[in-house]
């Protein structure tokens, strides 16, 4: 839903403020959405820059990585992804994704075709309703099936310097596969990459530019308390002061509170005395460098049973031979005891000490190399040439919250509880904008906004956020990679 909220000064209405705790992709998007509409926002982030959490590498424009989720979740992810690209146009890594099913896997690629037809029709309808929704290429080319004979023909062609067709994207991949290891057809689908560093850059740039967004960095919220008379919220937080080399405690009052603390959302729920069932899952993706790769690659998904030694393998390309790897086994991306749930005593699931140490202090060098090398070996089972890849940087990692009790949930955005309290509960980055719009509607329902939000194009929702040039965004994103100790190539779009 695309909605426009009136500035909170309209019709002589008393100005109000919204506090957003957490500067990840959800909290940043909500804060920017409200600030762009003239609402005064106080954004609190414990770190020194925005959008620095679990690995984001994929737009999920249709959810084709996940065989287990419903068609409705897939349609929701498709629509949310389109809106996300319209608001964050400089964040997409534009290349298709190839889905391949190994012979060892129990699934059949043919079982995905009905869903793909549904998504293609859904995309075509969205484009027909608004031509600006065509951000994933032509609807007629949303996906293409490749059977063995055609793939064998493509494997005999030279690797193109620059892919000019869907077939060109397949060539570097199929030249490196033993096709006898796979079922057919292969599926090429227009699910693009999403740059976490360009998302972070856009959020930081927009927050600094918007006068209605007050950015509180290095600010750890230690308490929230609601006034029983006017339902306003007092936020108490500690902020480091380098001049005295100590933390100073501050307090501020807001009229509405948004809890966007990601995997720590339960801590604020507990402070607010608003219980909630949820899970959190610790995950990691690994940065590798494959110097011998030829050509410009698509993303590749080799399906596999989650949590087994043959779990899904995901190859995400970046410029200059860098690739991000997921291996959905407990020795690679997943972790033993890495999925935990809340209890009746607390809305905050408790991760083990080894996970909290990684989040707070980073990884030990030996752990980086061990898990990265396992990821390389896992990929090389199906892509043998990848065995020559090397560790390319520290992992992208973090804990992801999943509201409720269904660990397969992928399309979720926000929930409301008590008075003037919202909690962001996104699982995928593309759900953040819908969460922001739902907050805007709730502000009207609660009598804080003077005018009912109306539908409006995504670009008009957030003109400052969507208006930065690619050059500005990439420059900022490269600076963030250096600050966070990652290769600058992860900030750059592929040129072809």
């Amino acid at each position: 839903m695309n909605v426009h909220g009136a500035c909170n000064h309209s019709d002589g209405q008393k100005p109000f403020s919204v506090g957003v705790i957490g500067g990840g992709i959800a909290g940043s998007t909500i804060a920017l959405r409200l600030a762009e509409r003239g609402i005064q926002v106080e954004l609190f982030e414990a770190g020194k820059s925005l959008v620095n959490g679990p690995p984001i590498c994929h737009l999920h424009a249709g959810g084709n990585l996940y065989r287990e989720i419903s068609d409705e979740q897939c349609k929701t992810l498709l629509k949310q992804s389109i809106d996300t690209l319209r608001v964050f146009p400089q964040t997409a890594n534009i290349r298709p994704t190839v889905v391949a099913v190994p012979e060892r896997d129990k699934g059949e690629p043919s079982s995905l075709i009905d869903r793909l037809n549904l998504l293609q029709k859904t995309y075509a309808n969205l484009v027909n309703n608004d031509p600006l929704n065509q951000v994933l290429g032509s609807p007629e080319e949303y996906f293409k099936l490749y059977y063995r004979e055609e793939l064998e023909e493509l494997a005999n062609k030279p690797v193109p310097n620059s892919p000019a067709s869907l077939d060109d994207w397949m060539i570097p991949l199929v030249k490196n596969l033993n096709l006898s290891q796979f079922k057919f057809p292969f599926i090429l689908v227009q699910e693009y990459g999403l740059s976490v560093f360009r998302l972070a850059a856009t959020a930081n740039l927009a927050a600094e530019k918007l006068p209605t967004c007050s950015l509180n960095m290095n600010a750890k919220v230690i308490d929230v308390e609601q006034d029983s008379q006017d339902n306003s919220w007092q936020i108490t937080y500690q902020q480091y002061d380098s001049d005295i080399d100590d933390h100073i405690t501050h307090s501020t009052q807001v009229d509405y509170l948004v809890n966007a603390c990601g995997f720590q959302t339960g801590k604020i729920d507990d402070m607010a005395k608003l219980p909630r069932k949820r899970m959190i899952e610790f995950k990691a993706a690994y940065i590798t460098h494959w110097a011998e790769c030829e050509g410009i690659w698509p993303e590749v998904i080799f399906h596999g049973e989650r949590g087994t030694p043959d779990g899904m393998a995901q190859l995400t390309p970046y410029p200059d031979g860098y690739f991000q790897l997921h291996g959905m086994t407990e020795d690679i991306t997943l972790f033993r005891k890495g999925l935990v749930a809340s209890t009746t005593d607390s809305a905050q699931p408790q991760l083990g000490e080894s996970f909290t140490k990684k989040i707070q202090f980073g990884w030990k060098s030996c752990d980086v190399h061990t898990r990265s090398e396992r990821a390389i070996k896992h990929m090389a089972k199906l892509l043998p040439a990848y065995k020559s890849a090397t560790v390319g940087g520290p992992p992208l990692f973090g804990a992801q919250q999943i509201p409720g009790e269904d660990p397969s949930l992928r399309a979720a955005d926000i929930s409301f509880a008590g008075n003037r309290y919202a909690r962001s509960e996104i699982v995928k980055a593309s759900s953040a904008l819908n969460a922001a719009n739902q907050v805007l509607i709730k502000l009207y329902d609660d009598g804080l906004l003077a005018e009912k939000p109306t539908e409006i194009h995504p670009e008009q929702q957030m003109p400052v956020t969507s208006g930065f040039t690619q050059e500005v965004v990439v420059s900022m994103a490269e600076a963030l990679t250096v600050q966070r100790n990652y290769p600058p190539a992860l900030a750059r779009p592929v040129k072809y």
Side-chain angles (χ1 to χ4, degrees):
M1 181 181 297
N2 304 330
V3 292
H4 173 80
C7 172
N8 62 327
H9 294 277
S10 64
D11 297 336
Q13 179 172 316
K14 180 182 176 181
F16 68 93
S17 60
V18 176
V20 180
I21 305 174
I25 183 57
S28 295
T29 302
I30 292 169
L32 295 174
R33 176 73 176 98
L34 302 185
E36 294 244 30
R37 297 275 59 86
I39 298 169
Q40 186 61 48
V41 177
E42 293 278 346
L43 177 58
F44 300 88
E45 167 54 38
K48 54 187 177 182
S49 60
L50 300 176
V51 190
N52 189 7
I56 300 171
C57 63
H58 200 92
L59 190 61
H60 295 287
N64 295 293
L65 274 65
Y66 304 110
R67 293 180 287 190
E68 69 275 15
I69 68 175
S70 67
D71 288 351
E72 286 305 309
Q73 284 195 63
C74 289
K75 289 165 64 177
T76 297
L77 289 170
L78 175 65
K79 178 62 171 67
Q80 291 178 348
S81 294
I82 290 169
D83 287 347
T84 297
L85 282 189
R86 292 181 63 175
V87 171
F88 296 97
Q90 310 303 344
T91 62
N93 288 323
I94 299 175
R95 76 297 176 275
T97 295
V98 176
V99 180
V101 180
E103 277 286 351
R104 69 192 187 194
D105 186 72
K106 297 176 182 178
E108 294 294 333
S110 57
S111 67
L112 303 173
I113 295 174
D114 285 347
R115 171 184 288 178
L116 286 161
N117 285 324
L118 172 65
L119 289 170
Q120 185 176 48
K121 182 179 180 181
T122 303
Y123 180 38
N125 287 338
L126 290 168
V127 172
N128 185 58
N129 292 337
D130 182 355
L132 293 178
N133 282 329
Q134 188 167 310
V135 294
L136 302 169
S138 167
E140 290 75 23
E141 292 191 336
Y142 175 69
F143 77 96
K144 183 176 179 179
L145 306 179
Y146 288 87
Y147 290 88
R148 181 161 186 167
E149 182 178 348
E150 186 174 4
L151 291 174
E152 288 173 341
E153 291 177 2
L154 290 174
N156 290 321
K157 293 187 176 182
V159 175
N161 292 326
S162 179
S165 67
L166 299 185
D167 291 354
D168 284 350
W169 284 103
M170 297 295 298
I171 293 171
L173 170 62
V174 296
K175 290 179 80 71
N176 284 278
L177 297 180
N178 177 356
L179 293 178
S180 64
Q181 287 185 273
F182 295 93
K183 301 177 184 180
F184 301 94
F186 280 29
I187 299 164
L188 181 145
V189 61
Q190 299 297 345
E191 286 211 28
Y192 295 164
L194 195 62
S195 168
V196 65
F197 294 104
R198 298 205 297 280
L199 275 171
T202 304
N204 282 278
L205 288 164
E208 291 171 0
K209 188 171 182 178
L210 287 164
T212 45
C213 185
S214 180
L215 193 54
N216 303 285
M217 303 303 300
N218 298 304
K220 181 181 179 181
V221 173
I222 58 174
D223 192 31
V224 299
E225 185 175 357
Q226 189 168 33
D227 188 305
S228 59
Q229 300 298 315
D230 64 4
N231 289 323
S232 65
W233 289 89
Q234 179 174 280
I235 301 172
T236 304
Y237 62 100
Q238 290 182 334
Q239 201 165 28
Y240 180 73
D241 189 329
S242 59
D243 291 337
I244 61 173
D245 192 26
D246 200 359
H247 290 82
I248 299 178
T249 300
H250 304 274
S251 184
T252 192
Q253 205 86 5
V254 296
D255 298 288
Y256 197 98
L257 184 62
V258 177
N259 174 2
C261 286
F263 83 97
Q264 298 189 89
T265 297
K267 290 185 177 181
I268 305 299
D269 280 345
D270 286 348
M271 293 177 191
K273 299 179 177 60
L274 293 168
R276 175 67 162 156
K277 289 183 179 181
R278 66 166 52 81
M279 294 171 285
I280 58 176
E281 185 172 26
F282 187 90
K283 292 181 178 180
Y286 302 90
I287 306 304
T288 60
H289 187 251
W290 187 23
E292 292 81 6
C293 78
E294 289 186 84
I296 298 173
W297 279 61
E299 182 159 1
V300 187
I301 306 298
F302 297 114
H303 272 171
E305 185 178 352
R306 179 187 171 96
T308 71
D310 292 328
M312 182 183 78
Q314 179 178 346
L315 179 79
T316 305
Y318 294 93
D320 305 331
Y322 284 93
F323 291 83
Q324 181 177 333
L325 301 184
H326 286 77
M328 303 309 283
T329 80
E330 288 187 339
D331 291 330
I332 303 172
T333 290
L334 307 178
F335 290 75
R336 292 183 181 90
K337 299 183 179 180
L339 176 66
V340 291
S342 55
T343 66
T344 55
D345 296 326
S346 174
Q348 180 59 46
Q350 296 299 314
L351 282 169
E353 184 181 4
S354 63
F355 302 116
T356 57
K357 282 185 176 180
K358 283 182 171 66
I359 292 170
Q360 292 175 357
F361 307 114
W363 289 49
K364 295 179 181 178
S365 177
C366 59
D367 290 342
V368 172
H369 282 265
T370 297
R371 288 220 167 216
S372 297
E373 287 165 1
R374 286 177 188 166
I376 292 169
K377 185 177 180 180
H378 187 65
M379 183 58 64
K381 291 179 184 177
L382 296 167
L383 190 62
Y386 208 80
K387 65 184 179 182
S388 65
T390 57
V391 178
L396 290 160
F397 67 97
Q400 177 185 68
Q401 71 163 325
I402 307 170
E405 299 176 284
D406 178 8
S408 70
L409 181 67
R410 291 297 178 268
D413 40 49
I414 201 153
S415 66
F416 300 95
N419 291 317
R420 297 189 181 183
Y421 183 86
R423 54 170 83 85
S424 167
E425 297 180 322
I426 71 166
V427 180
K428 294 303 175 188
S430 53
S431 300
L433 185 59
N434 193 61
N437 284 327
Q438 293 299 325
V439 171
L440 199 60
I441 292 169
K442 187 65 172 171
L443 291 174
Y444 170 77
D445 290 342
D446 287 353
L448 292 171
L449 268 183
E451 297 179 8
K452 186 176 182 178
T454 56
E455 291 196 14
I456 190 171
H457 289 307
E459 299 88 345
Q460 294 171 290
Q461 293 178 28
M462 300 172 71
V464 172
T465 305
S466 62
F468 295 105
T469 66
Q470 186 174 78
E471 182 180 13
V472 168
V473 171
V474 171
S475 177
M476 177 68 168
E478 288 178 335
L480 288 173
T481 62
V482 173
Q483 181 188 100
R484 300 176 188 179
N485 198 32
Y486 290 99
L490 271 60
R492 299 170 189 149
V494 174
K495 301 293 185 182
Y496 63 89

